Amino acid sequence: MSLSFRWIVANVTILIFATLTLSVSSAPQSNQKVFSSFRFGEHPDWEPLRHSSGISPYHDAPGADIEPPQGCSVTAAAFLIRHSSIYANDDEWEEYMQPFVERVKDAKGAFPEDGPLGFLNDWESPINEDNLEKLTKPGIKDAEKFGKRFRKLYPHLLPPKKLGKKKGILDNLKVKVPFKVWTASSERDIGTAKAFIRGAFPKYQEGHGGEGDGKYISLVEVPNKDPNWSASLTPHKVCDRFTKEEGRKDAREYLRNWGPGPLAKLQALAPSFEFELKDVIAIQMLCGYESVIKGIGKSKFCNARIFDAKDYHDYEYFHDLIYHKMVGYASDVAPYLGVHWLNTSTHNLLSADEGEGDHPHRPYSAASKKDPHLPAPPGLPNSTHTQKLFAYFTHREEPPMALVALGLWNQTEVGPLPLDTRQKDRVWRTSHVLPFLGHVAIERIRCDDKQNYIRAIVNGAAQTLDHCKDGPGNSCPIAQFKAFVNQRMSMYGDIEGACKIEQ
Ligand SMILES: *[C@@H]1O[C@H](CO)[C@@H](O)[C@H](O)[C@H]1NC(C)=O
Ligand SMILES: *[C@@H]1O[C@H](CO)[C@@H](O)[C@H](O)[C@H]1NC(C)=O
Ligand SMILES: *[C@@H]1O[C@H](CO)[C@@H](O)[C@H](O)[C@H]1NC(C)=O
Ligand SMILES: *[C@@H]1O[C@H](CO)[C@@H](O)[C@H](O)[C@H]1NC(C)=O
């Protein structure tokens, strides 16, 4: 049997599989089926987790539908993805939740049993010093689901499922370079990437628990603190001018302005407990973290009799302020830290139809455990051109900075974010990009007119670049996109200059 025939067989099998899947669900619901697993079921109109910024299980952004525009199909894609749900972030724990949890421990009986806070009389914190920053069980499941979603959406961009199957028809197919998935080197990133691999690939390709079998699939761990940005998926960790403090300061000031109202509500619910202003945030954070630890709908902190929709909208704004200065348009290093992923990914998407010809394999492209590094600069994570789908798992800071590099949701164009009141018309909305598994992606699509276009996706929702939207579904013609990225590189390419603190 010739090699090409085998590939055809594999692709036909996938096609048949895809057709079957489509025909059982009533058209055109194919993507809805894919998406439904990430919908919150219980409260269609209001759901605190939709307004909890980065402390929320994955959910698609409004308007999500990653069905390619009519007459087009996706031919390559690159995703920058935050890790899945963790027990708690240590800064958020220390500043907000822990002080509240400690006082609750010492005040059993202080909460009226028939009130919405009554459960606190015998509540035990599921978060402790030992599990901080660790992946939760539902978080691991979500990452697997996310992998399954990739398999459904992009079967033609992944190695065929039959590859490597014992006695399968593709058993002996020679694979020169494994399909790679990249991850930052923290446990929560690696665990997420492994779960993703288990979801997207069959058992006989996934290796022991998801690190890849090394032949067909390989997980590449990229050191978090590589001093060289060009070998990093976490450039904020090697940038001296990157700071989280400015945004936190703004958020604290906003809390002082907005918080007294919700604080008074808490005091009315349990007059004998000594609430502090920061408890307003602690309780809303615990709603999010308990939901990703125990499961959606399982946290009594989310009860609307404690805080209502407006309170969560204000809490959402609190987070938007933090991230706007940390990784958004009010950070002058953000576009520099996001643009290299964009440049590399654009390069990969542009080269997706060039084959391996111009891009000889580098020795480390096999990504052995011994040499997990990315290609040398200026490659960033650009890999060899042996694959068309690129998934990079990293930390919460990175996807929003890629968004800034793309110029999307530019709050500066709309106006400043005041600290005394919530800016309702803002475009900077971190709840739509920052949930666990939140992501920014670019897709290359090919359409009936035989032209190629690029579109940006944020949590399943296609985004429009105002200056480049002449393609189908407001996508950007590929040559224009390339010119745009080159222009962004000339503006923001100098990461070393931008990150240097003047002495
Ligand atoms: C990053 O690596 C490249 C190639 O190895 C080197 O030329 C460059 O100087 C390095 N940059 C830093 C900041 O170490
Ligand atoms: C940006 O990508 C292009 C390839 O499209 C590459 O030639 C260039 O070196 C990259 N720039 C940097 C600074 O990495
Ligand atoms: C990475 O990209 C650079 C240009 O940006 C290119 O010269 C190089 O060949 C690429 N590396 C690999 C391994 O393809
Ligand atoms: C955001 O918009 C402002 C105002 O139009 C512009 O000056 C700025 O360059 C934009 N920022 C980025 C990163 O695109």
Side-chain angles (χ1 to χ4, degrees):
M1 208 189 286
S2 79
L3 194 80
S4 55
F5 178 65
R6 286 176 173 172
W7 277 94
I8 290 167
V9 170
N11 284 319
V12 167
T13 314
I14 286 168
L15 236 158
I16 292 171
F17 173 76
T19 315
L20 283 176
T21 319
L22 283 182
S23 55
V24 288
S25 61
S26 56
Q29 310 255 315
S30 55
N31 268 336
Q32 293 204 343
K33 203 175 154 211
V34 174
F35 284 109
S36 60
S37 54
F38 289 118
R39 287 215 172 108
F40 303 130
E42 320 238 320
H43 308 274
D45 300 324
W46 172 63
E47 171 57 61
L49 300 177
R50 284 194 191 285
H51 300 281
S52 291
S53 185
I55 310 179
S56 163
Y58 181 74
H59 53 101
D60 287 317
D65 174 7
I66 46 186
E67 189 88 46
Q70 187 107 43
C72 307
S73 59
V74 179
T75 54
F79 278 75
L80 188 61
I81 310 158
R82 183 188 179 199
H83 59 75
S84 196
S85 309
I86 53 172
Y87 279 83
N89 163 277
D90 47 16
D91 294 335
E92 289 165 347
W93 171 247
E94 270 166 40
E95 179 163 6
Y96 293 100
M97 292 175 280
Q98 191 180 24
F100 173 67
V101 168
E102 294 297 328
R103 270 178 294 122
V104 166
K105 243 188 253 167
D106 297 337
K108 306 273 168 183
F111 304 94
E113 279 297 338
D114 52 354
L117 291 174
F119 75 95
L120 283 175
N121 290 324
D122 42 28
W123 174 78
E124 275 186 37
S125 170
I127 304 166
N128 55 53
E129 296 290 336
D130 294 333
N131 61 26
L132 281 178
E133 306 282 358
K134 294 220 166 90
L135 284 174
T136 68
K137 279 197 185 120
I140 291 170
K141 279 212 179 106
D142 283 353
E144 287 171 0
K145 258 197 268 180
F146 197 65
K148 290 201 171 89
R149 173 164 162 172
F150 267 61
R151 174 61 66 178
K152 276 195 186 161
L153 290 171
Y154 306 115
H156 56 302
L157 303 180
L158 294 169
K161 264 191 158 177
K162 294 246 161 172
L163 219 52
K165 188 174 184 179
K166 279 224 158 50
K167 299 200 181 82
I169 49 170
L170 295 173
D171 206 18
N172 299 314
L173 186 65
K174 285 207 171 63
V175 175
K176 272 192 275 184
V177 184
F179 179 95
K180 280 166 277 170
V181 172
W182 288 263
T183 176
S185 59
S186 300
E187 276 309 311
R188 54 195 180 281
D189 303 311
I190 297 171
T192 301
K194 285 183 175 175
F196 169 83
I197 287 176
R198 292 195 299 274
F201 301 97
K203 277 243 172 296
Y204 42 86
Q205 293 175 358
E206 72 180 31
H208 300 291
E211 81 275 29
D213 62 349
K215 186 176 176 194
Y216 302 114
I217 312 295
S218 190
L219 179 60
V220 183
E221 291 172 20
V222 183
N224 266 350
K225 295 224 169 126
D226 195 310
N228 199 327
W229 59 266
S230 25
S232 178
L233 279 175
T234 44
H236 76 278
K237 289 187 193 272
V238 292
C239 178
D240 291 337
R241 284 193 58 232
F242 176 86
T243 170
K244 302 184 176 181
E245 270 324 302
E246 293 301 309
R248 287 179 183 158
K249 233 192 286 170
D250 281 4
R252 280 182 212 118
E253 182 174 338
Y254 173 65
L255 175 63
R256 280 193 292 276
N257 290 322
W258 144 69
L263 175 63
K265 279 198 205 180
L266 291 176
Q267 284 160 339
L269 289 173
S272 68
F273 183 79
E274 292 203 10
F275 282 105
E276 292 174 7
L277 190 57
K278 283 186 171 178
D279 298 344
V280 169
I281 299 296
I283 285 173
Q284 292 176 93
M285 284 182 167
L286 285 163
C287 159
Y289 280 119
E290 265 203 344
S291 300
V292 300
I293 296 169
K294 300 179 175 174
I296 294 170
K298 301 269 168 63
S299 175
K300 294 188 170 141
F301 287 104
C302 303
N303 188 338
R305 286 166 61 215
I306 306 174
F307 288 132
D308 61 16
K310 181 185 171 294
D311 297 322
Y312 276 90
H313 289 149
D314 292 333
Y315 165 73
E316 177 175 47
Y317 187 63
F318 168 92
H319 289 280
D320 287 353
L321 287 172
I322 296 180
Y323 295 112
H324 191 234
K325 281 225 172 131
M326 189 198 291
V327 292
Y329 287 88
S331 152
D332 50 9
V333 293
Y336 294 85
L337 296 178
V339 81
H340 291 275
W341 174 83
L342 179 63
N343 190 50
T344 300
S345 298
T346 303
H347 171 80
N348 282 334
L349 265 52
L350 289 168
S351 330
D353 54 1
E354 285 172 12
E356 296 170 29
D358 302 340
H359 300 281
H361 302 147
R362 297 190 175 211
Y364 37 66
S365 65
S368 67
K369 272 266 182 283
K370 279 191 203 118
D371 188 1
H373 289 261
L374 297 167
L380 196 62
N382 72 337
S383 85
T384 55
H385 296 281
T386 51
Q387 65 191 65
K388 298 183 186 222
L389 185 59
F390 301 83
Y392 304 108
F393 289 92
T394 181
H395 295 262
R396 70 174 77 184
E397 289 81 2
E398 271 64 30
M401 296 193 298
L403 201 63
V404 174
L406 279 160
L408 290 166
W409 307 2
N410 186 341
Q411 183 59 38
T412 312
E413 287 171 1
V414 182
L417 295 179
L419 302 183
D420 52 352
T421 178
R422 162 160 56 96
Q423 218 269 38
K424 292 195 176 123
D425 301 326
R426 68 196 183 280
V427 288
W428 178 251
R429 296 208 176 249
T430 57
S431 293
H432 299 165
V433 62
L434 269 183
F436 296 110
L437 293 172
H439 53 267
V440 170
I442 52 175
E443 277 185 347
R444 173 179 170 142
I445 55 179
R446 186 172 170 79
C447 303
D448 284 347
D449 59 5
K450 301 214 167 23
Q451 301 299 310
N452 295 296
Y453 303 88
I454 302 272
R455 61 179 194 157
I457 307 266
V458 180
N459 288 10
Q463 307 292 318
T464 301
L465 295 168
D466 286 331
H467 51 85
C468 186
K469 52 178 179 189
D470 292 341
N474 293 334
S475 58
C476 179
I478 199 161
Q480 277 184 51
F481 191 81
K482 181 181 175 185
F484 163 65
V485 172
N486 285 341
Q487 183 205 351
R488 300 300 271 183
M489 275 307 277
S490 63
M491 292 167 76
Y492 303 120
D494 180 17
I495 190 172
E496 283 174 22
C499 287
K500 201 171 185 168
I501 294 180
E502 300 297 337
Q503 297 300 333

